[in-house]
Amino acid sequence: AVYADTHEALTKVRSGFECDIAHPNVWDVRSWYDAGLLQPWDVSKLQYWPDIFPQLATSDGTIMEDGGQYMIPTDWGINSAIIREDVVEIEEESWNILWDERYAGKISMTSEMDLAVQVAGLTVGVTNPFHATEEEFQRIRDRLTEQRKLLLFYWSDPTELSQAIASGEIVAAVAWPAIYSELKAAGEPVRYINPKEGVYSWMTGFVRLKDAPGAEQNASDYVH
């Protein structure tokens, strides 16, 4: 089954959808664990487990307080903003380009709550929105509200965003690195900026459902 975001996936599984493994973000694992949906992996059954970077294998959210390995990291990278170099003029690379009124109606923000909050947080000086105070979170909320009038749309489908950038409908957007790579390979005049405020890294991987109907070895073979 394919889902639009991990919040949808969690709701689906909690409603009784049966599956053996799922592919959430590392910061989602706590919610799945607290909901009683997960069981730990037996990493001895994973052939390439020793090859995973230790910093990823032990990152917050992969191991729970019972000592179990609840996520097997498979994907890691960063997210940034993509711009059309032939249209957008910038003196320094910054997330604030997504609030630049010169490009009103040609900006797109992700519909992913986690990433949107992270980006807005950096523009108002909140470097760790995962532990924001009430005052800091209100600043983030206000910043996102301020942006609404500048957006053409919130994107959840990367193909939709790629097509909009290629056509020139969108000239600045939060984007996954794969979107940038695809457009660059197609010869589009795009740049993946290095914002002065910094970027967040992300990690996704596989979790094993507690009531997985399939054989454990099959799940391990798929992931290893």
Side-chain angles (χ1 to χ4, degrees), residues 67-214:
Q69 185 77 42
Y70 282 86
M71 170 178 269
I72 305 302
T74 55
D75 315 86
W76 172 70
I78 64 166
N79 289 313
S80 189
I82 189 171
I83 61 170
R84 284 278 304 241
E85 288 190 294
D86 57 333
V87 178
V88 176
E89 299 178 2
I90 54 176
E91 293 185 2
E92 66 177 348
E93 299 183 359
S94 168
W95 287 111
N96 286 306
I97 193 63
L98 302 174
W99 279 262
D100 194 323
E101 295 188 357
R102 291 177 298 170
Y103 308 108
K106 292 191 172 185
I107 298 172
S108 183
M109 174 58 99
T110 175
S111 63
E112 291 181 290
M113 179 185 66
D114 308 303
L115 180 52
V117 168
Q118 292 168 14
V119 170
L122 285 174
T123 67
V124 294
V126 180
T127 56
N128 191 350
F130 294 105
H131 297 281
T133 64
E134 287 295 326
E135 184 274 333
E136 288 175 330
F137 197 75
Q138 187 59 52
R139 283 158 51 199
I140 293 171
R141 183 192 301 273
D142 292 343
R143 187 65 165 153
L144 288 170
T145 301
E146 175 189 341
Q147 187 190 46
R148 285 180 190 166
K149 65 180 184 295
L150 304 176
L151 302 178
L152 181 61
F153 59 78
Y154 291 93
W155 70 270
S156 59
D157 179 354
T159 301
E160 177 187 22
L161 179 62
S162 294
Q163 291 174 346
I165 295 172
S167 70
E169 288 182 279
I170 295 295
V171 300
V174 174
W176 299 339
I179 294 172
Y180 165 73
S181 299
E182 175 187 318
L183 289 168
K184 193 69 175 178
E188 300 295 344
V190 293
R191 188 198 315 176
Y192 209 43
I193 70 171
N194 183 19
K196 65 178 183 179
E197 301 88 358
V199 295
Y200 287 103
S201 66
W202 52 266
M203 185 171 75
T204 59
F206 286 110
V207 295
R208 186 163 178 251
L209 279 297
K210 187 175 182 179
D211 297 322

Side-chain angles (χ1 to χ4, degrees), residues 39-46 69 72 208 216 220:
Q39 60 178 311
W41 288 92
D42 181 352
V43 297
S44 68
K45 296 182 178 181
L46 304 178
Q69 185 77 42
I72 305 302
R208 186 163 178 251
E216 178 183 3
S220 298

